[in-house]
Amino acid sequence: MEIMNKKMIAEAVAENQNITKKQANAIVDCVFDTICEALKDGAKVDITGFGKFEVKTRASRTGINPQTKESIEIPATKVPGFKASKTLKDLVR
């Protein structure tokens, strides 16, 4: 199983669209930066046929410090989430 990274995505875009790797890399960077900025601002990003990105909030909870065995309060955090579209799920199956 091969791992595809951002560089490989840019190379695929360059080959598919007959543009330079530098141009493709700029486009890929722009797409990822736009998604990141939207999530940072609290927006949802819905890419039809691919999936939805959104920021989810994990509630605060009580945890245990493994060294001292004391209870500690873990604060609420925001984490990025992704839900694949039905089209993507069917494609992967």
Side-chain angles (χ1 to χ4, degrees):
M1 182 161 128
E2 185 177 339
I3 297 175
M4 186 169 225
N5 59 27
K6 189 166 77 167
K7 179 181 176 185
M8 295 167 75
I9 293 171
E11 288 172 356
V13 169
E15 186 176 318
N16 186 281
Q17 297 298 311
N18 291 327
I19 58 176
T20 66
K21 289 181 184 178
K22 186 175 181 179
Q23 290 170 322
N25 194 47
I27 291 168
V28 171
D29 281 342
C30 182
V31 169
F32 289 152
D33 289 345
T34 302
I35 292 170
C36 290
E37 283 297 315
L39 293 174
K40 187 176 94 175
D41 294 339
K44 292 181 182 180
V45 179
D46 187 1
I47 303 172
T48 305
F50 186 71
K52 293 180 184 181
F53 295 91
E54 64 182 317
V55 176
K56 298 180 179 187
T57 303
R58 287 191 183 154
S60 62
R61 62 192 192 280
T62 303
I64 297 175
N65 182 332
Q67 293 178 337
T68 64
K69 307 295 184 204
E70 291 180 24
S71 292
I72 56 172
E73 186 65 25
I74 301 170
T77 58
K78 292 182 179 181
V79 294
F82 176 75
K83 182 176 181 186
S85 71
K86 182 179 183 322
T87 305
L88 180 59
K89 288 178 187 177
D90 291 343
L91 183 68
V92 172
R93 289 186 191 144

